[in-house]
Amino acid sequence: MERSVKFALVLTALLLTSVGMRAEDDDFGIWTELNVEKKLTNRLDLDLFGENRSRNSHETVDRWSVGLGASYKVTNWLKASADYTYLYDHNEKWNDKQTKVANFWGTRHRFNVALTGSVDFGNLSVSLRERWQYTYRPQKTVERTKVSNGKVEEKTYNGKGKNVWRNRLQLKYKVSSLWRPYINGETFVAGSGMEKLRLAAGTEIRVSKKHSFDVKYLFQKVYDEDDDEGNRHILGIGYTFKF
């Protein structure tokens, strides 16, 4: 138990230090997750999940989401999964002079299909997840301010879909039945090439077979100039209930 407490203190210090060292132009936010998992058979699981994200140094709600998914254990080392997520997010549009011209909430529909392979080396688990992600944003008409005269007019953003290929490599180590620290890196690749890179360090805290928590620090680097998110430092907190 003493070893676990020391580990928790070191991890907390690293998370706080990383957040404090962020660059001036980088943003900070908090992501909170809630997951409910139901085991139907030895191989098939269902998952209901929800998430809230913030930005602007945790002053602005970025998005809410809720989803439903399923995973199937093909072999001892390979798992297939698919899910749907409904996203309700906060959008801001800026002009070339960095003046905000529109501020509105919109919906997106996201579908994921993934294969995850994992291999154990004693207490160390190495996994690679390959995920195809498709997101559709319906057409939306909003009020937009014209900078030249300050007049408010309607602007329609056409509906559009987007495909992204995500690749995540993760290392997780079982310190004890309670603590499972991990590190991972994930790339986001679309038609224009590399769009994002995410690096994370955190730990699972398995309180019991039914209850577990996840705490992590995540850094997001954006390479696409048209991406609205930008570079971000994230503190992630999650809870999972299994039955």
Side-chain angles (χ1 to χ4, degrees):
M1 179 61 70
E2 182 180 352
R3 183 181 180 184
S4 298
V5 172
K6 289 182 179 179
F7 169 76
L9 292 174
V10 171
L11 178 64
T12 301
L14 289 174
L15 290 174
L16 294 177
T17 300
S18 300
V19 171
M21 293 176 62
R22 63 191 179 94
E24 182 178 353
D25 295 335
D26 293 349
D27 195 7
F28 169 71
I30 297 178
W31 295 357
T32 55
E33 301 177 3
L34 175 63
N35 302 281
V36 179
E37 298 181 9
K38 171 64 177 177
K39 180 174 287 295
L40 298 181
T41 69
N42 289 334
R43 292 182 178 272
L44 180 62
D45 294 339
L46 288 182
D47 185 19
L48 176 66
F49 50 89
E51 184 183 38
N52 170 258
R53 295 185 178 183
S54 68
R55 66 173 188 266
N56 294 336
S57 298
H58 192 50
E59 294 181 358
T60 304
V61 176
D62 188 23
R63 82 181 193 195
W64 295 89
S65 64
V66 62
L68 178 66
S71 62
Y72 183 78
K73 195 171 184 179
V74 182
T75 67
N76 290 333
W77 60 272
L78 182 64
K79 181 177 70 174
S81 62
D83 62 73
Y84 162 76
T85 306
Y86 173 82
L87 303 159
Y88 187 61
D89 50 13
H90 182 209
N91 300 274
E92 295 178 344
K93 298 296 182 180
W94 303 73
N95 63 10
D96 295 337
K97 297 181 179 180
Q98 297 304 306
T99 300
K100 186 189 297 185
V101 294
N103 183 17
F104 61 94
W105 286 85
T107 61
R108 288 183 292 164
H109 304 278
R110 175 166 293 170
F111 302 88
N112 292 309
V113 177
L115 286 175
T116 304
S118 59
V119 180
D120 294 334
F121 301 93
N123 289 341
L124 176 65
S125 176
V126 181
S127 65
L128 175 64
R129 185 183 69 191
E130 298 293 330
R131 172 184 284 178
W132 167 71
Q133 172 184 290
Y134 174 74
T135 306
Y136 179 72
R137 184 188 297 274
Q139 179 176 296
K140 179 77 173 181
T141 299
V142 303
E143 291 187 344
R144 183 182 176 101
T145 303
K146 195 171 183 179
V147 177
S148 59
N149 56 17
K151 183 180 179 180
V152 176
E153 56 186 9
E154 287 191 344
K155 166 72 175 179
T156 298
Y157 295 96
N158 294 327
K160 62 178 181 179
K162 183 177 182 180
N163 292 284
V164 176
W165 190 257
R166 299 171 59 171
N167 313 271
R168 190 193 72 181
L169 179 64
Q170 178 169 276
L171 281 71
K172 182 186 294 183
Y173 189 81
K174 182 180 179 181
V175 175
S176 66
S177 60
L178 181 65
W179 300 98
R180 286 173 170 80
Y182 62 84
I183 57 173
N184 63 51
E186 184 173 20
T187 59
F188 292 64
V189 181
S192 58
M194 173 84 81
E195 288 194 335
K196 298 177 189 176
L197 171 66
R198 288 179 179 171
L199 302 174
T203 183
E204 285 186 33
I205 308 171
R206 298 194 179 183
V207 180
S208 66
K209 290 183 178 180
K210 291 186 176 182
H211 306 279
S212 64
F213 295 88
D214 183 273
V215 181
K216 66 184 175 185
Y217 159 73
L218 183 149
F219 172 69
Q220 173 178 277
K221 172 67 175 178
V222 172
Y223 297 94
D224 186 356
E225 294 182 356
D226 294 330
D227 192 284
D228 294 331
E229 294 187 12
N231 297 341
R232 292 189 181 180
H233 296 258
I234 304 298
L235 175 61
I237 303 171
Y239 167 73
T240 299
F241 174 71
K242 297 182 179 181
F243 66 102

